[in-house]
Amino acid sequence: MQIVTIVIPNLNGKDYLGPCLTSLTRQSRQDFSVILIDNGSEDGSADFVSANYPEVRIHRFERNEGFCRAVNEGIRMADTPYVILLNNDTVCEDTFVEELVCAMERSWGSGKQKNTEKDCAAKVFSCAAKMVQMRDPARMDNAGDYYCALGWAYALGKGKPADQYDRGREIFSACAAAAIYRREVFDEIGFFDETHFAYLEDTDVGYRARIAGYRNRYEPRAVVRHVGSATSGSLYNEFKIRYSSRNNIYLIYKNMPLAQIILNLPFLAAGFLIKMFFFAQKGYLREYVVGLGAGTALCSRDKKVRFRWKNLPSYVRIQLELWGNLVRRISDIF
């Protein structure tokens, strides 16, 4: 019986898919299926997978529908308790799947234990893998995503020694490049928001899960090597900056009640000003400002997460974490 479905979104990633899919054939645990969602690739990616990895199910879009729609399609196709989202530019260590599944089962029990009060109090929506750099596995790529009061989302540990991140912990949200999710929770909180298209969509879905009372964790025993920016092509480019800044505004409006926005307004204003100065130095000020304008245009009442009094304790925990993550981010910089 299969317990997990691995969903791989792909756009012109033929050069990466071979190593990625081969690493999955070596997994210590094999009770999973793989779905490739091809976003209108023009490099023969889907045909390559069909010819060399016939066990992989393939769903093809005629054009690039964005990361969010791609993974949503894969999640809807999944009929297993867990879904792993995996970027095409990754190579998984042999116990990657096993460790992620074990982490989820430890977090919420299984079978008759699932609905006990103890398990429900610690219910976990997602678990992020330990992502190390492909070129230098001794260096971290991502040890979980964090979000702070400045309105900044950031990856913990990026570029730092990997052996410093061997302890599991709670995180704000899981990076969807290599993470496992509890399938049934999507039916409760909603799927990845396709308005995002790409960037910050994993922070958004993790944020919504947190509001609903779920938690997200980091599992260092599940290791994956990651190239990074394989689809976008670079760390900074016009597309990435416009969509990131757009989605940053949208993320704040959508998930924070008005009172929380007002409470954080001084921090948010400072965060956006710092980012404006940063991208001006990089020559991308116009792209950043255009993105902010586009994000403001997305703010409408029907997009906002409805405030419910029963979720007030979650909002309080999130706010305390936003302040704590601000201190963590500043300490990481200096």
Side-chain angles (χ1 to χ4, degrees):
M1 178 181 174
Q2 293 180 341
I3 194 170
V4 61
T5 303
I6 300 177
V7 176
I8 303 175
N10 176 69
L11 174 62
N12 296 323
K14 183 179 178 180
D15 291 342
Y16 300 102
L17 285 169
C20 177
L21 293 172
T22 297
S23 73
L24 294 179
T25 67
R26 297 195 296 260
Q27 291 298 301
S28 58
R29 184 168 188 158
Q30 286 290 322
D31 52 350
F32 63 86
S33 61
V34 181
I35 301 175
L36 180 81
I37 308 295
D38 189 71
N39 250 332
S41 296
E42 298 177 347
D43 66 346
S45 297
D47 292 336
F48 167 78
V49 172
S50 179
N52 294 278
Y53 301 91
E55 70 278 7
V56 175
R57 285 190 287 170
I58 301 174
H59 182 89
R60 307 186 192 213
F61 288 125
E62 293 184 0
R63 61 183 181 183
N64 183 9
E65 299 288 353
F67 177 88
C68 296
R69 185 174 177 190
V71 297
N72 282 346
E73 186 67 26
I75 294 168
R76 291 188 177 99
M77 292 171 65
D79 57 358
T80 52
Y82 305 114
V83 176
I84 291 176
L85 301 185
L86 185 65
N87 273 17
N88 58 7
D89 59 340
T90 56
V91 173
C92 306
E93 297 297 319
D94 292 353
T95 59
F96 168 77
V97 173
E98 180 178 5
E99 294 294 354
L100 284 182
V101 172
C102 287
M104 295 299 279
E105 292 182 337
R106 284 196 304 269
S107 73
W108 203 359
S110 59
K112 294 181 180 179
Q113 296 180 335
K114 178 179 176 181
N115 294 317
T116 65
E117 182 178 351
K118 179 180 178 181
D119 290 323
C120 290
K123 55 188 180 180
V124 169
F125 165 56
S126 70
C127 188
K130 179 179 182 178
M131 298 171 62
V132 298
Q133 296 178 13
M134 183 71 77
R135 292 184 178 179
D136 185 3
R139 294 284 172 181
M140 286 298 302
D141 184 65
N142 188 301
D145 285 347
Y146 286 75
Y147 190 65
C148 72
L150 293 173
W152 295 356
Y154 61 94
L156 185 68
K158 199 168 190 70
K160 295 188 176 181
D163 58 8
Q164 294 181 7
Y165 297 88
D166 287 338
R167 180 178 60 84
R169 60 171 66 87
E170 287 198 17
I171 56 177
F172 190 87
S173 60
C175 174
I180 190 170
Y181 297 83
R182 201 176 303 278
R183 171 65 180 82
E184 65 183 1
V185 178
F186 286 107
D187 295 325
E188 177 185 346
I189 67 170
F191 288 67
F192 284 84
D193 186 343
E194 295 179 14
T195 301
H196 280 265
F197 192 82
Y199 303 119
L200 295 178
E201 71 291 323
D202 43 9
T203 302
D204 171 68
V205 78
Y207 201 139
R208 282 185 277 131
R210 296 290 306 279
I211 292 172
Y214 294 94
R215 298 178 183 272
N216 304 297
R217 290 193 59 81
Y218 161 71
E219 176 50 66
R221 287 175 289 193
V223 181
V224 60
R225 285 172 281 159
H226 183 222
V227 174
S229 300
T231 297
S232 63
S234 62
L235 184 59
Y236 302 116
N237 56 66
E238 292 184 7
F239 174 84
K240 188 172 184 178
I241 291 168
R242 285 193 183 190
Y243 271 87
S244 294
S245 59
R246 184 197 76 150
N247 293 343
N248 203 359
I249 291 285
Y250 179 51
L251 176 73
I252 293 166
Y253 171 81
K254 178 181 174 182
N255 293 290
M256 286 189 186
L258 179 59
Q260 191 176 21
I261 293 176
I262 294 172
L263 177 65
N264 287 292
L265 198 56
F267 300 101
L268 296 172
F272 284 116
L273 285 173
I274 293 170
K275 281 288 184 76
M276 288 180 68
F277 177 77
F278 175 81
F279 285 117
Q281 296 293 102
K282 297 286 184 180
Y284 290 111
L285 177 61
R286 181 178 182 277
E287 286 72 20
Y288 183 73
V289 173
V290 167
L292 295 180
T296 303
L298 290 177
C299 298
S300 61
R301 185 174 298 178
D302 63 328
K303 296 287 187 180
K304 197 167 181 67
V305 174
R306 182 180 177 185
F307 175 80
R308 299 180 186 275
W309 283 106
K310 69 176 184 178
N311 293 331
L312 182 60
S314 296
Y315 284 109
V316 173
R317 283 194 295 269
I318 290 170
Q319 184 57 51
L320 293 175
E321 194 169 337
L322 294 180
W323 285 332
N325 289 341
L326 171 58
V327 175
R328 178 183 283 113
R329 183 55 174 159
I330 292 174
S331 65
D332 281 348
I333 294 174
F334 297 103

Short mmCIF file of all heavy atoms in Angstrom, two decimals, residues 21-22 28 43 49-50 61 78-79 158 196 199 207 211 235 242 254 261 268 277-278 282 309 321:
data_model
loop_
_atom_site.label_atom_id
_atom_site.label_comp_id
_atom_site.label_asym_id
_atom_site.label_seq_id
_atom_site.Cartn_x
_atom_site.Cartn_y
_atom_site.Cartn_z
N LEU A 21 15.30 11.73 -10.45
CA LEU A 21 14.46 10.53 -10.47
C LEU A 21 15.27 9.26 -10.13
O LEU A 21 14.75 8.35 -9.49
CB LEU A 21 13.79 10.39 -11.83
CG LEU A 21 12.74 11.47 -12.13
CD1 LEU A 21 12.26 11.38 -13.57
CD2 LEU A 21 11.56 11.37 -11.17
N THR A 22 16.52 9.22 -10.55
CA THR A 22 17.36 8.07 -10.20
C THR A 22 17.56 7.98 -8.70
O THR A 22 17.56 6.89 -8.12
CB THR A 22 18.72 8.16 -10.92
OG1 THR A 22 18.51 8.11 -12.34
CG2 THR A 22 19.62 7.01 -10.51
N SER A 28 15.29 3.94 0.49
CA SER A 28 15.16 2.81 1.42
C SER A 28 13.70 2.41 1.60
O SER A 28 13.41 1.27 1.95
CB SER A 28 15.77 3.17 2.78
OG SER A 28 15.15 4.33 3.32
N ASP A 43 11.87 21.42 -23.93
CA ASP A 43 13.17 20.74 -24.05
C ASP A 43 13.05 19.22 -24.08
O ASP A 43 14.05 18.51 -23.96
CB ASP A 43 14.09 21.17 -22.90
CG ASP A 43 13.58 20.68 -21.53
OD1 ASP A 43 12.41 20.27 -21.45
OD2 ASP A 43 14.36 20.72 -20.56
N VAL A 49 11.34 11.60 -19.54
CA VAL A 49 10.88 10.86 -18.36
C VAL A 49 10.04 9.66 -18.78
O VAL A 49 10.19 8.56 -18.25
CB VAL A 49 10.08 11.79 -17.43
CG1 VAL A 49 9.44 10.98 -16.30
CG2 VAL A 49 10.99 12.87 -16.86
N SER A 50 9.16 9.86 -19.76
CA SER A 50 8.31 8.77 -20.23
C SER A 50 9.13 7.59 -20.76
O SER A 50 8.81 6.43 -20.52
CB SER A 50 7.36 9.28 -21.32
OG SER A 50 6.54 8.25 -21.80
N PHE A 61 0.86 20.26 -19.04
CA PHE A 61 0.16 21.50 -19.39
C PHE A 61 0.71 21.99 -20.72
O PHE A 61 1.89 21.80 -21.03
CB PHE A 61 0.38 22.57 -18.32
CG PHE A 61 -0.35 22.33 -17.03
CD1 PHE A 61 0.33 22.30 -15.82
CD2 PHE A 61 -1.73 22.15 -17.02
CE1 PHE A 61 -0.34 22.08 -14.62
CE2 PHE A 61 -2.41 21.93 -15.83
CZ PHE A 61 -1.71 21.90 -14.63
N ALA A 78 -3.13 12.99 -6.07
CA ALA A 78 -2.62 12.08 -5.03
C ALA A 78 -3.78 11.47 -4.25
O ALA A 78 -4.74 12.15 -3.90
CB ALA A 78 -1.70 12.83 -4.09
N ASP A 79 -3.67 10.19 -3.96
CA ASP A 79 -4.66 9.50 -3.14
C ASP A 79 -4.00 8.83 -1.94
O ASP A 79 -4.41 7.76 -1.49
CB ASP A 79 -5.43 8.48 -3.98
CG ASP A 79 -4.51 7.44 -4.63
OD1 ASP A 79 -3.28 7.55 -4.45
OD2 ASP A 79 -5.02 6.55 -5.32
N LYS A 158 21.15 29.49 5.26
CA LYS A 158 21.66 29.54 3.89
C LYS A 158 23.14 29.92 3.86
O LYS A 158 23.54 30.96 4.36
CB LYS A 158 20.85 30.52 3.05
CG LYS A 158 20.99 30.30 1.56
CD LYS A 158 19.97 31.12 0.79
CE LYS A 158 19.94 30.73 -0.66
NZ LYS A 158 19.38 29.40 -0.91
N HIS A 196 -0.47 33.50 -6.52
CA HIS A 196 0.97 33.73 -6.34
C HIS A 196 1.75 33.41 -7.62
O HIS A 196 2.78 34.03 -7.87
CB HIS A 196 1.50 32.83 -5.21
CG HIS A 196 1.22 33.35 -3.84
ND1 HIS A 196 2.12 34.11 -3.13
CD2 HIS A 196 0.14 33.24 -3.04
CE1 HIS A 196 1.62 34.43 -1.97
NE2 HIS A 196 0.40 33.91 -1.88
N TYR A 199 6.72 31.99 -5.95
CA TYR A 199 7.39 32.74 -4.89
C TYR A 199 6.43 33.09 -3.74
O TYR A 199 5.37 33.66 -3.95
CB TYR A 199 8.07 34.01 -5.42
CG TYR A 199 9.08 33.72 -6.49
CD1 TYR A 199 8.93 34.25 -7.78
CD2 TYR A 199 10.16 32.89 -6.26
CE1 TYR A 199 9.83 33.96 -8.79
CE2 TYR A 199 11.07 32.59 -7.26
CZ TYR A 199 10.89 33.13 -8.53
OH TYR A 199 11.79 32.83 -9.53
N TYR A 207 1.54 29.64 6.50
CA TYR A 207 0.93 30.68 7.34
C TYR A 207 -0.53 30.32 7.60
O TYR A 207 -1.01 30.35 8.76
CB TYR A 207 1.02 32.02 6.61
CG TYR A 207 0.92 33.26 7.48
CD1 TYR A 207 1.73 34.35 7.24
CD2 TYR A 207 0.00 33.35 8.51
CE1 TYR A 207 1.65 35.50 8.02
CE2 TYR A 207 -0.11 34.50 9.29
CZ TYR A 207 0.73 35.57 9.03
OH TYR A 207 0.64 36.70 9.80
N ILE A 211 -2.42 29.57 11.20
CA ILE A 211 -3.64 30.23 11.68
C ILE A 211 -4.67 29.20 12.12
O ILE A 211 -5.36 29.38 13.13
CB ILE A 211 -4.22 31.15 10.58
CG1 ILE A 211 -3.29 32.34 10.33
CG2 ILE A 211 -5.61 31.64 10.97
CD1 ILE A 211 -3.68 33.19 9.13
N LEU A 235 19.83 34.29 -9.04
CA LEU A 235 19.35 34.71 -7.72
C LEU A 235 18.50 35.96 -7.83
O LEU A 235 17.46 36.08 -7.17
CB LEU A 235 20.55 34.95 -6.80
CG LEU A 235 20.24 35.31 -5.35
CD1 LEU A 235 19.43 34.20 -4.68
CD2 LEU A 235 21.53 35.58 -4.58
N ARG A 242 9.92 41.06 -9.27
CA ARG A 242 8.54 41.57 -9.41
C ARG A 242 7.54 40.68 -8.70
O ARG A 242 6.66 41.15 -7.98
CB ARG A 242 8.17 41.71 -10.89
CG ARG A 242 8.81 42.90 -11.57
CD ARG A 242 8.17 43.16 -12.92
NE ARG A 242 8.82 44.26 -13.61
CZ ARG A 242 8.36 44.83 -14.72
NH1 ARG A 242 7.24 44.36 -15.27
NH2 ARG A 242 9.00 45.82 -15.29
N LYS A 254 -3.41 39.31 3.02
CA LYS A 254 -4.26 38.13 3.04
C LYS A 254 -4.31 37.46 4.41
O LYS A 254 -5.38 37.03 4.87
CB LYS A 254 -3.76 37.13 2.00
CG LYS A 254 -4.54 35.83 1.94
CD LYS A 254 -3.94 34.90 0.89
CE LYS A 254 -4.62 33.55 0.92
NZ LYS A 254 -4.02 32.62 -0.07
N ILE A 261 -1.92 44.08 11.20
CA ILE A 261 -1.21 44.92 10.22
C ILE A 261 -0.81 46.24 10.86
O ILE A 261 0.32 46.71 10.72
CB ILE A 261 -2.07 45.15 8.96
CG1 ILE A 261 -2.26 43.84 8.20
CG2 ILE A 261 -1.41 46.20 8.06
CD1 ILE A 261 -3.17 43.96 6.99
N LEU A 268 6.94 46.80 9.19
CA LEU A 268 6.73 46.53 7.76
C LEU A 268 7.25 47.68 6.91
O LEU A 268 7.89 47.46 5.88
CB LEU A 268 5.24 46.29 7.48
CG LEU A 268 4.63 45.06 8.14
CD1 LEU A 268 3.12 45.05 7.95
CD2 LEU A 268 5.24 43.79 7.56
N PHE A 277 15.97 50.11 -0.89
CA PHE A 277 17.35 50.57 -0.97
C PHE A 277 18.25 49.45 -1.52
O PHE A 277 19.11 49.68 -2.38
CB PHE A 277 17.83 51.00 0.41
CG PHE A 277 19.27 51.43 0.44
CD1 PHE A 277 19.66 52.67 -0.04
CD2 PHE A 277 20.26 50.58 0.94
CE1 PHE A 277 21.00 53.07 -0.02
CE2 PHE A 277 21.59 50.96 0.96
CZ PHE A 277 21.96 52.21 0.48
N PHE A 278 18.01 48.22 -1.04
CA PHE A 278 18.81 47.09 -1.47
C PHE A 278 18.69 46.87 -2.98
O PHE A 278 19.70 46.73 -3.68
CB PHE A 278 18.37 45.83 -0.71
CG PHE A 278 19.06 44.57 -1.16
CD1 PHE A 278 20.32 44.24 -0.70
CD2 PHE A 278 18.44 43.71 -2.06
CE1 PHE A 278 20.96 43.08 -1.11
CE2 PHE A 278 19.07 42.54 -2.48
CZ PHE A 278 20.33 42.23 -2.01
N LYS A 282 21.14 47.20 -6.49
CA LYS A 282 21.31 46.11 -7.46
C LYS A 282 20.84 46.50 -8.86
O LYS A 282 21.03 45.74 -9.82
CB LYS A 282 20.52 44.88 -7.01
CG LYS A 282 20.98 44.26 -5.70
CD LYS A 282 22.30 43.52 -5.87
CE LYS A 282 22.70 42.81 -4.59
NZ LYS A 282 23.99 42.08 -4.73
N TRP A 309 -12.52 34.05 15.93
CA TRP A 309 -12.08 34.22 17.31
C TRP A 309 -11.43 32.96 17.85
O TRP A 309 -10.53 33.03 18.70
CB TRP A 309 -13.25 34.64 18.19
CG TRP A 309 -13.58 36.10 18.02
CD1 TRP A 309 -14.65 36.63 17.36
CD2 TRP A 309 -12.83 37.20 18.53
NE1 TRP A 309 -14.61 38.00 17.41
CE2 TRP A 309 -13.50 38.39 18.13
CE3 TRP A 309 -11.66 37.32 19.28
CZ2 TRP A 309 -13.05 39.66 18.44
CZ3 TRP A 309 -11.19 38.59 19.60
CH2 TRP A 309 -11.88 39.74 19.18
N GLU A 321 6.11 35.00 17.32
CA GLU A 321 7.13 34.40 16.46
C GLU A 321 7.66 35.41 15.45
O GLU A 321 8.87 35.42 15.15
CB GLU A 321 6.54 33.19 15.74
CG GLU A 321 7.58 32.31 15.08
CD GLU A 321 7.01 30.99 14.60
OE1 GLU A 321 5.96 30.56 15.14
OE2 GLU A 321 7.61 30.39 13.69
#
